[in-house]
Structures are given as C-alpha cells and as structure tokens.
Amino acid sequence: MTLVSVEGVTRRFGDVTALDDLSLEVRQGEFFALLGPSGCGKTTLLRVLAGFDLPDSGAVTLEGEDLLRLPAHRRPVNLMFQSYALFPHMTVEKNIAYGLEREGLPRAEIRQRVGEVLETIGLTSAARRRPAQLSGGQRQRVALARAIVKRPRLLLLDEPLSALDKKVRAEMQLELKRLQHEAGITFLVVTHDQEEAMSLADRIAVLNHGKVEQIDTPVALYQRPRTRFVADFVGANNLFTGTLRENGVEIPGLGLLPCKAPSEPSADRPVDLAVRPENVRLAPGPLRGTVLDVSFYGGTSRVAVGVEGREEPVLVNVSGAVTVLTGGHVELAWDPEDAVLIPGG
C-alpha cells in the first residue's frame, strides 16, 4: 500500500533545477532510501516532504491527502537532523519528552511513552544523563527516540549516521533496522553512502541531477542497473562502451567481449557492458593485460589490470590472497550471464 506519492515535483533555485519532474512512491512500513551524489536533489526532496520548502510544481500526497497544503508543524511527518540537534542542558528523557510536552499531552502519557521508547533504544539507565555524557552512538539513539516517540506516519532521516565512526556506524545500521521494525514507522533516509543505503533499505531510489535514475531493491539495483549512471555509481564496476553484435559486444580497440544475448535481439546498436569485479576471473579469456596494483583487504584481494586500448584499469576481486605480482601478465574472463547490457552506449 502506498503511503507517500510524489508526482511530477519540480523545484528550481534561480538557474539551478534541484528537482526535475520527479516522481516516486514510498510504501507503508518500508525502509526507503534516497541515494545519490551531492547536489542530486536528495535533501531538497526531504525538505519538501518535511514542509520546509514548497515545489514550483507537482503534487505530494500522504495516503491520498494533499501534504503540500499542510504547514510543517501539522504534518504527520518527523525529521531527524544530521546534527541530532539535542538540547545540551536537558537530560535524555527531557530531550525525548520535549515534543510531547509541546503538544500538551498528559504527563502520565508522556512518562509512559518516553519510558517505552527508552527501553526500545536500550538507554533506560541513561535517562538522567545529558548529551555531553553520551557517546556518539548513544546521542544518535536519543535523536531517533525523540523522533519516533511522536509516532509519525513518516520519519525522515538526513544522513543519520554520517557523524559516527566506521565501527559504530555498522552497529547503528543494525539498530536502525531493528527500531524501524519495532516502531512500525515508515522510514525515508537520505544518504550518499552506498553501503549504508544497501544495508538499510527495502528499496532505493537513485537520484541524479534532480531525476530518478532507478528505483529497485538493493540486490536488483546492484545486479541489474538500468542506466550507466547507476552501474557506475552503485558499487565498483567495469564499464565498456561498444556495439551489440549477435555473439557479444564489440569494443573499439579490445575486440568482441562476451555477454548473454538479450531477450529481444537487436544487433548493431550502441550499448554499455557492465561487469562487476567479483565476476571477473584471472583465467584465459578475451582480455590480456598487466597487473598494475594488488590490494589485500583480509577476506578479499582487488587486482587492477591495465589493458592496452583502455584508459581505466579492469578491476578484479578475488577471494583471499592472490599470487599474481605487480607487473605480471594475466588474462581476464567472465561468464556471459554475469555481464549486464545497458542501452544507450
């Protein structure tokens, strides 16, 4: 069931078009992510949904009701800021209760709801502490608790984990998923971190220059990108531009590279061929090159191979350590079904 519908929304700032006839739908109860580079329109869309900005054209509805006619404070939407914006002079429980107190709810109900959310985030014992006495991860939990205690129908999160170090960020990714599931609230997160979006979201919308490039599940987005931008932006990829032939893709200077024949054959048209590094093997195949670099990451190694006739190296991910050395000559191969064809070239 659709909770939020964005239809043909455009927002301009002078000569800059932040949102360009953008449309998407967010389903009830899902964890939805907006992913894209800086300046792609993610935060502008978030501000439109929160009520801090109005589009020049288009419609936004929540369960069929016009959201744009409501001021920010009357929308069943809450926004968790990137900076957390906690009150430093208030205790944890006072920070969480602040919004409920402003709404004039009975004290007994406020105490009950604050107590429930403190238990959910695992900070009951820290209820009387102030933000300065908490770790970064704990402050993030308090900010999230303050947002969900008001029980919004939609919770917006702007780069929620960007202020955390890598280890705490990984822990909080799991925590966010758990809290979202337990709270039963629809989450919409804005991020430029691919790993964060892939690990958190049920579905992801990839934005570029104010437009939607693709909306899909993380697995489908990674395995079957529909545009060159998505293939290049989401994870590492080896991209080759050439012409589709009956038995492969002909790449200028490299020859014919293998791919699975499309369901609707249409030879002699421009295409991009995308092959993920983990699908490339150091084995006899159509490409030959020289090892430029070998990087070991513990569980995997990444090998960069320079191929004559191609400016960028071909990346190969190998499980564990590799025996090839920088300067060595190797051949590269992949299975045809592991190569993704992208129209346009």
Side-chain angles (χ1 to χ4, degrees), residues 173-193:
Q173 286 173 354
L174 296 175
E175 189 75 1
L176 271 179
K177 285 289 285 185
R178 181 185 70 82
L179 289 173
Q180 190 264 342
H181 177 74
E182 291 188 5
I185 298 170
T186 303
F187 278 22
L188 191 153
V189 60
V190 161
T191 181
H192 65 273
D193 187 315

Side-chain angles (χ1 to χ4, degrees), residues 59-125:
V60 180
T61 58
L62 192 148
E63 292 186 331
E65 297 182 7
D66 184 6
L67 197 63
L68 297 180
R69 66 179 177 83
L70 297 176
H73 67 279
R74 291 187 56 202
R75 297 186 182 190
V77 176
N78 216 335
L79 172 63
M80 178 178 154
F81 292 98
Q82 183 177 346
S83 63
Y84 305 156
L86 300 178
F87 297 113
H89 62 288
M90 291 184 181
T91 62
V92 166
E93 60 184 359
K94 283 291 186 181
N95 264 284
I96 296 172
Y98 180 78
L100 302 180
E101 292 172 349
R102 289 294 300 272
E103 290 181 358
L105 295 182
R107 289 186 178 181
E109 182 177 351
I110 293 175
R111 282 197 300 269
Q112 178 185 349
R113 285 168 66 167
V114 170
E116 289 173 353
V117 80
L118 277 170
E119 186 175 350
T120 298
I121 65 171
L123 285 180
T124 302
S125 60

Side-chain angles (χ1 to χ4, degrees), residues 36-268:
S38 297
C40 72
K42 306 185 301 295
T43 299
T44 301
L45 180 56
L46 205 71
R47 289 178 59 82
V48 168
L49 293 173
F52 301 148
D53 202 353
L54 287 174
D56 298 305
S57 61
V60 180
T61 58
L62 192 148
E63 292 186 331
E65 297 182 7
D66 184 6
L67 197 63
L68 297 180
R69 66 179 177 83
L70 297 176
H73 67 279
R74 291 187 56 202
R75 297 186 182 190
V77 176
N78 216 335
L79 172 63
M80 178 178 154
F81 292 98
Q82 183 177 346
S83 63
Y84 305 156
L86 300 178
F87 297 113
H89 62 288
M90 291 184 181
T91 62
V92 166
E93 60 184 359
K94 283 291 186 181
N95 264 284
I96 296 172
Y98 180 78
L100 302 180
E101 292 172 349
R102 289 294 300 272
E103 290 181 358
L105 295 182
R107 289 186 178 181
E109 182 177 351
I110 293 175
R111 282 197 300 269
Q112 178 185 349
R113 285 168 66 167
V114 170
E116 289 173 353
V117 80
L118 277 170
E119 186 175 350
T120 298
I121 65 171
L123 285 180
T124 302
S125 60
R128 300 298 175 88
R129 296 181 191 171
R130 287 182 167 79
Q133 298 172 295
L134 304 176
S135 67
Q138 289 174 323
R139 286 195 293 271
Q140 198 265 0
R141 292 187 196 186
V142 175
L144 186 63
R146 188 176 59 183
I148 65 176
V149 76
K150 295 184 68 175
R151 299 173 182 171
R153 280 188 274 173
L154 175 65
L155 177 59
L156 309 173
L157 302 101
D158 185 10
E159 303 278 3
L161 308 180
S162 62
L164 305 178
D165 62 44
K166 186 174 182 179
K167 184 176 184 298
V168 177
R169 179 180 297 190
E171 294 172 353
M172 287 310 302
Q173 286 173 354
L174 296 175
E175 189 75 1
L176 271 179
K177 285 289 285 185
R178 181 185 70 82
L179 289 173
Q180 190 264 342
H181 177 74
E182 291 188 5
I185 298 170
T186 303
F187 278 22
L188 191 153
V189 60
V190 161
T191 181
H192 65 273
D193 187 315
Q194 301 166 31
E195 291 185 5
E196 185 170 295
M198 300 287 276
S199 65
L200 289 175
D202 299 310
R203 288 191 305 144
I204 301 171
V206 180
L207 305 188
N208 183 32
H209 296 305
K211 291 179 175 289
V212 173
E213 290 272 342
Q214 184 174 342
I215 300 177
D216 234 320
T217 64
V219 173
L221 201 67
Y222 185 83
Q223 294 182 344
R224 297 294 163 189
R226 298 195 201 115
T227 69
R228 183 183 177 95
F229 177 83
V230 173
D232 191 38
F233 185 76
V234 178
N237 225 330
N238 296 298
L239 292 167
F240 304 88
T241 299
T243 304
L244 181 63
R245 305 300 186 192
E246 291 184 0
N247 53 348
V249 177
E250 186 177 345
I251 310 297
L254 300 180
L256 198 66
L257 300 186
C259 69
K260 185 178 179 181
S263 55
E264 298 180 2
S266 178
D268 303 326

